[in-house]
Amino acid sequence: MNKHILIVGGGYVGLYTALRLQRKLRGELRSGEARITIIDPQSYMTYQPFLPEAAAGNLSPRHMVAPLRRILPKVRILNGRVTRVNHAERLVTFQPAVGEPRQVAYDVIVMAAGSISRTLPIPGLTDIGIGFKTVGEAIALRNRVLHLLDVAESTDDLEARRRALTFVVVGAGFAGVEALAELEDMAKDSTRYYRNIEPSDIRWVLVEATDRVLPEVGPEMGKWTLEQLRERGIDVKLDTRLESCEDGHVVLSDGSKFDADTLVWTAGVKPSPVVNDSDLPIDERGRVKATAMLTVAGTPGAFTAGDAAGVPDVTNPGQYCAPNAQHAVRQAKVLADNIVRHLQGQELVEYRHKYVGSVAGLGLHQGVANVYGVKLRGFPAWFMHRTYHLSRVPTLNRKVRVVVDWTLALFFKRETISLGEMEHPREGFRAAVATTRR
Ligand SMILES: Cc1cc2nc3c(=O)[nH]c(=O)nc-3n(C[C@H](O)[C@H](O)[C@H](O)COP(=O)(O)OP(=O)(O)OC[C@H]3O[C@@H](n4cnc5c(N)ncnc54)[C@H](O)[C@@H]3O)c2cc1C
């Protein structure tokens, strides 16, 4: 038959779908009856729930990503972007990292391009805001927080110091609360090495447009998290929106105005833009229109899942599956099995999973959890958060590396140096060249 299965995106859905297909179609891949390709700008899958721990320095960034080529030896990995999907012709336009775009033909497509930050046209946001979805963003943020502590320690300008020590996070879901809690914990921990900075000198502001934080753990645990954050001195502003942040001058809808050098935007996600550059049907929220079988509605040979897809939640009629890893991993399994069934002309099965709740880390030894109705807080929740994610991070190799990182952090204090110059590696050399006389 020689069927080419093309997976757009090598994240949660892409990696787990390919892993399962690699196993289930072993014979076909060997005989050349089937081929699998993943296209992704990165050569690794990012385990996003570990981003906050990587930002806080408890985990090496290399250990929270899974290398696609090593894990998927039977799959061809192409690095670059899909810029257009023409499903009518079974062709995608592939823009490689270097060189001209080219067309790649396929028989079956899996749209698994995930999501990007959902932003609003707020004055100044593009200039000073940073998201929290990639390893690059998490590590840049870590370097920035530590660098600004250095700045604050070294300046005599009180206004510059106040601005450097003010950190704003917009959006109090998973990403925002965990990022803020881990970074605050790290910054507080780091102040012991600074003569002139006390933990109380650092201001953390969490801005949330609704009246609750961390909805993923339910109202009771969300309320507890809110109290915890406030007890830690974090200024949580509910029912408040960011109105502008031009040149770092932050204006909020509750009337407060202050200056900040750092603003992290984690107020939701929207499907990857490639979804719009395709002839696949889109739903009212801009996601690929999916069926409960994880096929693209009314479109033979096309499958989808994860953050890019609007998958009906059959356990909750009328609702859609939330964009989270809990669904993405389980959907990938059903999706891969359905591709095999599709190739063998069998009937497809529905994706069915009832959301079981969530765990969240709130800094070292602190957490909150609500899983299968079991509500935990503090150390037990933090322990559950770590064990759960350890069990979920792909491959034994990564699991061992993560445990080693955590064990080291247990015995030695975490690293609190900013390696921000890694973002500008040629600056020193350029300065040296500039001193050379002709
Ligand atoms: C900080 C943070 C913490 C989180 N914590 C949790 C948690 O604790 N529990 C939980 O359940 N969920 C959590 N999530 C959500 C979870 O990570 C996502 O729901 C999950 O990653 C979605 O999987 P996906 O495969 O749809 O997308 P992704 O994993 O994002 O993968 C999408 C892939 O598509 C690629 N791509 C995008 N556009 C293109 C293109 N044009 N061409 C080719 N490739 C493309 C991207 O590079 C990426 O590799 C968290 C998210 C964040 C940001």
Side-chain angles (χ1 to χ4, degrees), residues 74-327:
K74 306 268 185 306
V75 175
R76 183 169 65 144
I77 312 294
L78 292 178
N79 292 122
R81 282 189 175 276
V82 169
T83 52
R84 200 165 166 80
V85 179
N86 178 352
H87 188 65
E89 307 270 335
R90 301 288 200 275
L91 285 175
V92 297
T93 308
F94 165 55
Q95 173 62 66
V98 174
E100 292 297 308
R102 65 175 194 263
Q103 308 268 294
V104 179
Y106 63 85
D107 299 289
V108 173
I109 191 166
V110 179
M111 178 48 81
S115 55
I116 58 169
S117 300
R118 177 162 45 81
T119 56
L120 296 169
I122 293 172
L125 185 59
T126 329
D127 302 322
I128 76 148
I130 179 167
F132 198 76
K133 270 194 73 65
T134 65
V135 181
E137 287 169 336
I139 301 309
L141 207 50
R142 166 185 170 70
N143 285 328
R144 183 166 184 80
V145 171
L146 293 169
H147 168 70
L148 287 170
L149 294 184
D150 296 345
V151 167
E153 172 91 340
S154 314
T155 182
D156 287 336
D157 180 338
L158 285 182
E159 195 40 54
R161 177 184 151 95
R162 205 173 0 251
R163 198 182 151 108
L165 293 181
T166 302
F167 301 94
V168 183
V169 176
V170 183
F174 259 139
V177 169
E178 286 195 291
L180 179 141
E182 291 284 357
L183 286 166
E184 187 266 349
D185 190 46
M186 176 193 74
K188 193 164 54 195
D189 210 23
S190 308
T191 53
R192 73 176 83 189
Y193 306 113
Y194 294 84
R195 288 173 180 229
N196 298 321
I197 305 177
E198 293 297 320
S200 57
D201 295 336
I202 310 177
R203 182 176 182 203
W204 292 88
V205 185
L206 178 60
V207 181
E208 167 57 45
T210 69
D211 61 354
R212 47 94 193 102
V213 305
L214 217 56
E216 294 87 348
V217 293
E220 187 189 334
M221 290 290 103
K223 192 162 166 278
W224 179 82
T225 308
L226 176 63
E227 284 161 13
Q228 270 295 303
L229 295 176
R230 285 185 168 153
E231 261 172 42
R232 280 162 65 170
I234 295 162
D235 185 1
V236 186
K237 292 177 179 292
L238 299 181
D239 294 312
T240 307
R241 290 179 320 281
L242 173 68
E243 296 208 321
S244 69
C245 51
E246 281 169 299
D247 299 322
H249 183 63
V250 176
V251 179
L252 303 179
S253 62
D254 68 353
S256 43
K257 294 177 184 163
F258 54 90
D259 291 336
D261 276 338
T262 310
L263 187 140
V264 190
W265 180 269
T266 57
V269 294
K270 64 178 180 190
S272 165
V274 65
V275 160
N276 284 322
D277 296 319
S278 79
D279 56 357
L280 301 174
I282 305 293
D283 72 10
E284 66 290 351
R285 290 200 224 160
R287 302 165 301 193
V288 179
K289 215 173 186 167
T291 67
M293 268 86 70
L294 305 173
T295 57
V296 177
T299 314
F303 291 77
T304 188
D307 287 9
V311 178
D313 182 353
V314 296
T315 70
N316 205 351
Q319 301 296 313
Y320 291 96
C321 297
N324 59 43
Q326 193 181 123
H327 281 300

Side-chain angles (χ1 to χ4, degrees), residues 7-14 39-42 44-52 80-83 112-116 132-134 174-176 178-179 269 272-274 305-308 322-328 355 358-360 385 388-389:
I7 304 177
V8 184
Y12 267 89
V13 172
I39 299 183
D40 196 300
Q42 314 297 346
Y44 53 81
M45 171 263 196
T46 303
Y47 190 81
Q48 291 174 3
F50 274 155
L51 286 174
R81 282 189 175 276
V82 169
T83 52
S115 55
I116 58 169
F132 198 76
K133 270 194 73 65
T134 65
F174 259 139
E178 286 195 291
V269 294
S272 165
V274 65
D307 287 9
N324 59 43
Q326 193 181 123
H327 281 300
Y355 186 64
S358 269
V359 287
H385 157 78
Y388 171 77
H389 286 301

